[in-house]
Amino acid sequence: GAGVSQSPSNKVTEKGKDVELRCDPISGHTALYWYRQRLGQGLEFLIYFQGNSAPDKSGLPSDRFSAERTGESVSTLTIQRTQQEDSAVYLCASSFNRNQPQHFGDGTRLSIL
Amino acid sequence: AQTVTQSQPEMSVQEAETVTLSCTYDTSESDYYLFWYKQPPSRQMILVIRQEAYKQQNATENRFSVNFQKAAKSFSLKISDSQLGDAAMYFCASYYNQGGKLIFGQGTELSVKP
């Protein structure tokens, strides 16, 4: 497809489990971003990739959160030992380079029981 | 720290009328961009309009235009001839060339009455 693709669309899991969220950026986009959106709120920045490196990880809320990107393409966001406060929509965006507009995927809605 | 503030949690407009959504921001940077994004219930963030801070001319995109007041750090969005499909959450966001992230406001939920 031509847009940013995220999977799964929805994820329900029990507290304490690990989850992995996937993002396929638009082909050729070197920059990739993860954001979190809690219910009724704006987006919070989590991490930014330029190619395979992450110059800015400042938004990751704790060491339970990590992300990687391989082959300047797919990125995965991993949350270990999930807590109820991790429940949110996780949105991925990509851009041709750092200063170009970001294009967003539809997000993954994560629900922690 | 850079911040973006949207003071209107909800707004309502009659179909075919005009509505203005407010946004203010705070930064010490000189090189930045400002955006309005629309988020319908489908969750996807859709870019509505973009403004470069170095440009004095207000950006316009069909029925959408901005009023960019740099000295006042204000960036409002005007929607003319409102349509039912304009109903959504609208987010104001800023981007700084020294960073790599968008900073978002809390959003304004716009409803359009037929």
Side-chain angles (χ1 to χ4, degrees):
Chain A
V4 177
S5 177
Q6 291 188 248
S7 60
S9 179
N10 293 281
K11 176 73 176 177
V12 181
T13 192
E14 294 179 346
K15 177 182 172 181
K17 299 287 188 182
D18 296 352
V19 295
E20 192 172 276
L21 312 180
R22 177 187 170 106
C23 173
D24 281 273
I26 293 172
S27 178
H29 280 195
T30 63
L32 186 147
Y33 313 79
W34 284 98
Y35 295 87
R36 177 172 71 179
Q37 185 177 27
R38 290 194 163 119
L39 186 63
Q41 298 192 17
L43 280 68
E44 305 170 75
F45 168 78
L46 296 178
I47 187 169
Y48 150 60
F49 286 93
Q50 182 62 49
N52 293 341
S53 65
D56 189 350
K57 307 179 183 178
S58 63
L60 295 178
S62 74
D63 59 8
R64 295 187 297 105
F65 287 72
S66 63
E68 64 175 17
R69 187 180 186 196
T70 56
E72 292 197 355
S73 181
V74 173
S75 175
T76 55
L77 176 69
T78 302
I79 309 174
Q80 296 178 310
R81 305 182 301 283
T82 51
Q83 303 294 312
Q84 287 189 331
E85 62 262 28
D86 299 335
S87 295
V89 174
Y90 290 81
L91 287 151
C92 175
S94 70
S95 61
F96 182 72
N97 60 42
R98 193 181 74 174
N99 293 332
Q100 294 301 308
Q102 296 179 23
H103 300 266
F104 284 81
D106 290 343
T108 294
R109 182 179 298 281
L110 177 64
S111 302
I112 309 300
L113 302 178
Chain B
Q2 290 89 12
T3 59
V4 176
T5 303
Q6 293 177 251
S7 59
Q8 305 155 317
E10 299 176 349
M11 290 285 283
S12 180
V13 63
Q14 204 72 33
E15 192 176 8
E17 297 294 311
T18 295
V19 64
T20 298
L21 307 184
S22 301
C23 173
T24 58
Y25 60 95
D26 188 18
T27 181
S28 57
E29 302 288 336
S30 59
D31 189 9
Y32 57 92
Y33 298 81
L34 297 166
F35 302 86
W36 279 96
Y37 278 89
K38 169 185 177 181
Q39 187 180 42
S42 65
R43 295 201 306 245
Q44 188 177 30
M45 298 288 285
I46 301 166
L47 178 63
V48 174
I49 199 165
R50 164 184 169 168
Q51 174 82 41
E52 292 89 342
Y54 64 85
K55 289 187 177 179
Q56 292 185 336
Q57 186 174 6
N58 289 326
T60 299
E61 195 71 41
N62 300 316
R63 297 183 296 106
F64 299 87
S65 62
V66 299
N67 183 5
F68 176 44
Q69 301 289 327
K70 191 171 183 177
K73 295 182 180 175
S74 170
F75 182 62
S76 60
L77 174 69
K78 185 172 82 172
I79 306 173
S80 304
D81 185 25
S82 297
Q83 300 176 0
L84 296 178
D86 295 334
M89 283 290 286
Y90 285 81
F91 291 96
C92 179
S94 62
Y95 177 90
Y96 304 93
N97 270 337
Q98 296 307 312
K101 59 191 176 189
L102 287 166
I103 297 171
F104 286 86
Q106 294 300 299
T108 297
E109 184 168 9
L110 177 67
S111 59
V112 181
K113 297 179 180 177

